Each structure stands twice: as structure tokens, then as C-alpha cells.
Amino acid sequence: MKKYIFAIFGLFLTINLNAQAPEAKEDSLKIREIYSAALVHGQAYDWLDHLSNKIGGRLSGSLNAQKAVEYTKAQLEELGLNKVWLQPVMVPKWTRGGREHAYIQTGPGMTTEVNITALGGSVATTTGGLKANVIEVQGIEDLENYKDEIKGKIVFYNRPMNPELIQTFSAYGGCVDQRYSGAEAAAKYGAAGVIVRSLSHKIDENPHTGSMSYGDLPDSKRIPAAAISTKDAEYLSGMLKLKKDLEFYYKLSSENHGEVQSYNVIGEITGSEFPEEIMVVGGHLDSWDLGDGSHDDGAGVVQSMEVLRLFKETGYKPKRTIRVVLFMNEENGLRGGNKYAEVAENKNEHHIFALESDAGGFTPRGFSFEADDAQFAQIESWKPLFEPYLIHYFGRGGSGADIGPLKKGDIVLAGLRPDSQRYFDHHHAATDTFEHVNKRELELGAATMTSLIYLVDKYGMKRINLEKDQKL
């Protein structure tokens, strides 16, 4: 029976290829070669193993971040690219300090320890920690309803990610403001500190860190900010319903150290016909420090490196210049993405396409694009080439944070879109570790990215703005 099924499948593929136009058939065969090379001889998983298990969490400005810069530069040099270089960039340095400690106190000697983690960029508590009553709110906009009660208390932001939204990044976007701007907003009402529900659908004991900002608040007005695990957020909310005057204690030892120098890591295959047309593929090299940053964004880093390696392995010589850019400081500043765009503009470089992988190493589902109508129509015409690999989603929307600053003129920006249902189980948490990345899923993502870059390189992108200028 199995032999019969495989025979029918093989016949179907043969008929399908023969029915295609010669160019489409050539593209199908090339993409098949790319997927085979990635799945049989892939290097991405081994690179990720080293980044995750030999180096670990790569907090911006840290020694581990520098080790990652040196390692990835060396690996790109081994690929025999035309150019490999480091692009200096100043990044903020923040350290967590000693382990955070927190508990809920409902009466004398009646305490329950809970799991928290300092938010990236938070100031420390006093040496003895902070203990105060708690005000629970459902997001920043809810603060106004408690404006006369907040002073001197800890604001507890407990708005969860919306479970009804299939797109988990939309659910994340619906409540990330309370993490990023919650301390700034609560401080203006006189709060002593803030605790933020971790941004995850999963109910567990792992707190999720992430960047936060004090805006233009002076140092004297800044208050300590931490995330609490979803399980403990549920417990705290339940206890507040029983005892509104309970006290919450937490201690943070985090510290901001100003700026230090770091680097974007860049490798290039120079185009054989149109070297002035530049395509970028990349992810961010920095990560948070609780786990080892395998999904966020070690996966994107090694997948982007793998794109250039796969072209080398399959003997493909790009017409256009293809760069892998491993951006530094996406997590708490976006300095790497901004620096790359700034240098590109100063050099008057012409970027036609940029692809970012920063949504985890899960099974790829497709891409999202920032493109005009004609450009998107061109891209959609390639969709049938991806369908045999179950890549069905070609949509319009956001691309990636690090390539966003390149948005200018006729450039098309794209983001790899893996299945996201498990991503926020690990995002910014201690569970973002190597064992949670599936080798085959990671390799499929790299092959999918390489296939798209191949098509853009072969056919170029429509230059709509230029065409309009010429008509005028």
C-alpha cells in the first residue's frame, strides 16, 4: 500500500512539473534542491547548539553578547563569503544583579513566595526591598479609575493576552504596553512600584521579562518594575478579592550602566550582475538572560546564516548582493537596526528587499510583507511554488523590528511567519532554551527563507516609485 501511495505521489509531482512553464519548473527544482540541502546537510541546528549551550543568554552589552559576535563572525568567515565585517554600535548595558525575591503577606508571619523577574531597564528597589499594598488594574487606561488610591502602593497590571485571538502576536500587542510603559504611567500617579502579569497564554510559574521604559521621567521619579508569573498573577488576583489590604514584597538589584560598544555582524555575497541592489536577511544576536535565547532570536540568527550557506552548497550565484545581518540590541533599544539603516543611508546604498526571522524556530507557515499592490501581486505569483512545503500564508502586515528602519522608497520588507501558538510559552522566559527548538522545524524555516530570497534575487522587485517618477 505504501509503495502504491509513493508511486502515485511521484507521478503527481512529475505531471505537475511537466505541466509548468519552463521557468516555473526550473524554480520548483531549485527550491526542491534548497529544501533537500537544508534537511539533509543543514548547519543551522549545530550553530544554534553552540550559541545556546556554549555561550548562553546574550544580553546586550554583556560578555556573552561579545562572545556571540566573535563566534558568528568566525562562522561566516568559514563560509567563504566575499565580505564579513563588524559594524560598531553603541548599546545600553543593564544588569539584573542578584536573584529577585518576592512574597505576598496576608497577615503577621503569613507569607507566600511568588515568582518574579525584573523588567529589562528597571531600577532596583532599596537594599531592603519594597513592601506595600497593591492596586490591581486592567491596563494603563484603567489607572485613572484608581487615581486617588494609587499613591504609595504597588500597581499590579493584570490584563492577560486575549485567548480569542488566533494570531498570538496580536494578543501580545494588545497588552505589551503595560509592560513597556506601565512603570512610567503608574509613577505619575505616585505608585511605589509596579508588578506586571507575564505576557503568555500559558499558566505556569515562569515569569517573562522584557523591555520597559521610563520615558522622560527623571531618575528620582523612577520606580522598580517586575513581571510576575501567570500562575502567581492568578493567585495574587484571587487573594486581593479576599483581602484587599494584603501586602506585596519584592526586591530587585538591577542596575543601568550607560552605554558600551558592541557590533552588528555582517556577511555578504556580492551580486554577479546587479551588485548595487542589496537584499538583507537577518535576526537579532542579543537575547534576554533568563534562558539561552534559542527561539528569541538564536533561531533567526542561524536561519539567516544558513541562507548564505545554502546558496554556497547548492552552487547558486546570486545576481544581486545578499547580506546576512545579525543585529545587536533588538531587545532593549533597537540600536543595531537603527545603526544599519543609518549607515546604509549615509552610503546611499540601494536596498530592494529585507527579510527578518524573529518569531521563533517553529514550523514555518509563510511570510508577511510590507509592499505596495504591484509588488505584493508579484510575490503572490510565487505562492504555488511554496505550497508543496505547506507554506500557505502570504499576507500583508508587519515585517520585523530590525529591518523596519530600512523602510524607504521602493524596498519590500518581509517577516518569516512560523506557527506562533507555542512561541509565547517561551518568549523572554527561562524556558527559552535549546531543547525547545525542533531541528527539522528550524531547518524548514531556513529553507523557506532561502527559497524566497532566491526568487527575489532571480526576478528582482518591481520599482513602483521609480516607474511613477519616470511617467511624471
Side-chain angles (χ1 to χ4, degrees), residues 4-16:
Y4 175 77
I5 292 173
F6 285 132
I8 293 296
F9 181 65
L11 180 62
F12 170 77
L13 287 178
T14 301
I15 294 172
N16 187 49

Side-chain angles (χ1 to χ4, degrees), residues 212-459:
M212 53 86 63
S213 171
Y214 292 107
D216 57 2
L217 282 179
D219 290 351
S220 61
K221 299 291 185 181
R222 298 183 177 189
I223 58 177
I228 184 171
S229 74
T230 51
K231 183 176 181 179
D232 290 323
E234 296 279 287
Y235 177 73
L236 175 57
S237 181
M239 291 305 297
L240 283 168
K241 291 178 174 62
L242 298 174
K243 188 173 177 58
K244 290 186 177 181
D245 62 346
L246 63 74
E247 291 182 299
F248 192 95
Y249 168 88
Y250 66 113
K251 181 180 179 181
L252 310 182
S253 304
S254 47
E255 187 175 356
N256 289 290
H257 304 273
E259 295 185 347
V260 298
Q261 183 169 288
S262 189
Y263 304 91
N264 291 331
V265 182
I266 307 174
E268 174 182 298
I269 299 177
T270 306
S272 59
E273 295 183 31
F274 312 106
E276 74 286 352
E277 294 188 13
I278 300 170
M279 302 164 60
V280 164
V281 58
H284 64 85
L285 198 51
D286 63 307
S287 75
W288 288 106
D289 55 325
L290 298 181
D292 57 45
S294 287
H295 275 297
D296 187 21
D297 183 32
V301 164
V302 299
Q303 287 173 330
S304 299
M305 295 167 63
E306 182 76 338
V307 170
L308 275 66
R309 193 198 69 82
L310 287 170
F311 283 147
K312 285 283 188 177
E313 177 171 329
T314 59
Y316 180 74
K317 295 181 179 180
K319 297 178 181 181
R320 295 164 173 82
T321 294
I322 300 177
R323 285 182 187 165
V324 56
V325 184
L326 311 181
F327 299 96
M328 183 57 70
N329 185 234
E330 187 273 348
E331 292 292 4
N332 60 334
L334 209 65
R335 300 292 184 85
N338 286 323
K339 174 56 71 173
Y340 181 82
E342 175 191 327
V343 172
E345 184 172 10
N346 290 340
K347 290 184 175 181
N348 199 31
E349 293 180 334
H350 179 213
H351 286 71
I352 67 164
F353 188 79
L355 170 62
E356 184 168 342
S357 173
D358 186 18
F362 299 102
T363 302
R365 298 299 187 200
F367 304 94
S368 60
F369 298 92
E370 295 182 60
D372 63 30
D373 291 344
Q375 290 168 332
F376 187 64
Q378 178 188 10
I379 292 165
E380 275 201 308
S381 71
W382 301 330
K383 186 176 178 181
L385 293 166
F386 289 88
E387 289 177 348
Y389 308 95
L390 303 182
I391 306 300
H392 296 287
Y393 178 75
F394 276 47
R396 297 174 78 169
S399 53
D402 278 311
I403 61 175
L406 286 170
K407 189 173 184 178
K408 182 181 179 183
D410 54 22
I411 188 172
V412 173
L413 305 181
L416 178 69
R417 290 294 168 255
D419 188 295
S420 69
Q421 301 309 316
R422 291 171 288 154
Y423 181 63
F424 290 100
D425 293 356
H426 308 285
H427 185 249
H428 297 176
T431 57
D432 185 4
T433 50
F434 182 70
E435 69 264 25
H436 292 117
V437 176
N438 178 276
K439 180 176 182 290
R440 187 170 178 84
E441 291 179 331
L442 183 75
E443 292 167 345
L444 285 168
T448 300
M449 293 167 66
T450 308
S451 299
L452 180 63
I453 293 291
Y454 156 74
L455 291 167
V456 176
D457 176 67
K458 182 176 179 179
Y459 296 105

